[in-house]
Amino acid sequence: MNIDPKVIALLGFGEAGSAIARGLAAEGGWRGPSQPGDNAPRRLIAIDPALDKDARGAALGKEAHRLDVAIADRYTEALSEADLVICAVQGDHALEAATSAAPLLKKGAHYLDLCTVTGKMSDEDRAPIEAAGGRYIDIAVMGGFFKSGIKAPMLVAGEDVEPVVAWMNANGFNTKVLGTKPGNASSVKMLRSVIVKGIEALAVESFVTAERQGILKEVMGCLGDIDAGTFAGSLAMLTQTHIVHAHRRWEEMGLVARTLRETGVEPLMTEAIERSHRRTVDAHVAPADGKVPPLDEALKLLSEKVVRGL
């Protein structure tokens, strides 16, 4: 069943919410000229508790006025007019937004949760929305609104999400169906962040040290072996070979930590890596024949013998 919202509500009008509003209100966008037979023009409304509270809140109001978005600082009955609700608040306010919006939702309205939350938090957000008769959609934003605007890539998870994805892609978004289980999109984003934010922290530690030693260009230039293949393939290879080479790599990281200290850099990430490799060493999982296992076997071994739950 196709969707055709006439009123869209944005919960949160910060970087994400305002970027989406600009995309939807742009010339040729969703809120274009009224079509023959339309009883009312398409409308955008927004709710942001920060409105007019400080300089940032005043800026939100000015941007909403510029885009002709009706904005309020609290949840009002106007929300019940929305066919589609896009929640783009900070993750720690996601449940508050869902519980505040739920009593006002139009029955059958789609609630798109773009918040950065865990899979469990996504389930908690979903409960009041579905209890109120709304249709909860889990969406993970995989890029930045500052750079890409409404075109920031998104993964979408939930039951019967295909019509929502089709509508979003037809109206300026860049979305892809991930699956039918709400929460999976949020989990994918979180686990991606382990890698991306981890590399960010590692790069800071490594590049600051390299810059202090006057060898930044050389350090960046020695990453060609990774550039030669795919990034995901390189990570898979490191995971497989970790089983075999953890002991050697653990010893090397001890020397790396000394290198950073000699340069006056506290080895926060390096020491964590050293401890992680030592955990594998202490588990005694290195194969006697020294052969590198396939990825699935390596992950099974790491899950059962090394990376244990609490």
Side-chain angles (χ1 to χ4, degrees):
M1 181 179 69
N2 295 332
I3 68 169
D4 183 23
K6 302 300 183 184
V7 179
I8 295 178
L10 298 165
L11 308 187
F13 203 68
E15 182 178 310
S18 60
I20 292 171
R22 284 190 291 273
L24 293 173
E27 183 177 352
W30 166 79
R31 198 188 63 187
S34 297
Q35 302 297 317
D38 285 351
N39 295 322
R42 294 173 176 174
R43 293 187 294 124
L44 276 170
I45 63 176
I47 298 169
D48 197 311
L51 179 66
D52 294 332
K53 298 297 190 297
D54 51 24
R56 174 182 172 275
L60 297 182
K62 290 179 180 178
E63 180 67 358
H65 179 74
R66 187 183 73 83
L67 295 171
D68 191 23
V69 174
I71 189 169
D73 63 356
R74 60 189 182 278
Y75 291 80
T76 68
E77 291 295 332
L79 186 61
S80 63
E81 301 174 26
D83 309 295
L84 184 70
V85 178
I86 301 175
C87 183
V89 303
Q90 293 182 345
D92 53 356
H93 296 298
L95 182 57
E96 178 185 353
T99 54
S100 297
L104 300 168
L105 286 182
K106 176 188 291 188
K107 297 294 183 183
H110 287 87
Y111 185 94
L112 279 54
D113 191 351
L114 273 60
C115 304
T116 299
V117 295
T118 68
K120 182 178 180 181
M121 289 169 68
S122 178
D123 290 340
E124 293 170 347
D125 296 346
R126 183 176 84 236
I129 298 302
E130 293 187 344
R135 300 179 181 181
Y136 180 89
I137 307 292
D138 171 33
I139 298 184
V141 182
M142 308 303 288
F145 285 103
F146 179 78
K147 179 180 179 181
S148 304
I150 198 172
K151 289 292 186 182
M154 303 179 189
L155 297 177
V156 184
E159 295 182 4
D160 302 320
V161 296
E162 287 79 5
V164 174
V165 167
W167 177 87
M168 293 180 76
N169 288 337
N171 287 278
F173 292 87
N174 176 16
T175 63
K176 178 181 178 181
V177 175
L178 178 68
T180 60
K181 183 180 178 182
N184 276 0
S186 296
S187 291
V188 166
K189 179 172 183 177
M190 287 296 185
L191 297 179
R192 178 182 183 273
S193 290
V194 173
I195 297 170
V196 176
K197 272 53 171 196
I199 290 175
E200 173 188 339
L202 290 168
V204 168
E205 200 162 283
S206 174
F207 288 179
V208 167
T209 305
E211 178 67 19
R212 289 184 180 182
Q213 293 188 10
I215 54 173
L216 177 60
K217 181 178 180 181
E218 289 76 8
V219 170
M220 295 183 72
C222 75
L223 299 172
D225 57 330
I226 296 176
D227 293 337
T230 66
F231 183 55
S234 295
L235 293 179
M237 180 273 293
L238 287 170
T239 302
Q240 291 173 250
T241 57
H242 176 78
I243 297 291
V244 177
H245 299 301
H247 193 284
R248 174 179 60 78
R249 292 172 180 172
W250 161 62
E251 292 180 335
E252 179 180 327
M253 293 312 297
L255 297 175
V256 171
R258 288 181 58 180
T259 298
L260 268 64
R261 292 190 192 97
E262 290 171 359
T263 314
V265 175
E266 185 180 3
L268 293 176
M269 296 299 294
T270 300
E271 287 181 340
I273 296 168
E274 187 180 2
R275 291 196 302 273
S276 176
H277 281 67
R278 180 57 189 263
R279 178 178 63 179
T280 303
V281 171
D282 290 343
H284 303 290
V285 294
D289 59 8
K291 291 184 178 180
V292 176
L295 180 59
D296 58 342
E297 293 181 15
L299 288 173
K300 185 174 186 295
L301 192 59
L302 288 166
S303 180
E304 293 177 353
K305 303 292 186 180
V306 181
V307 186
R308 305 204 175 178
L310 297 177

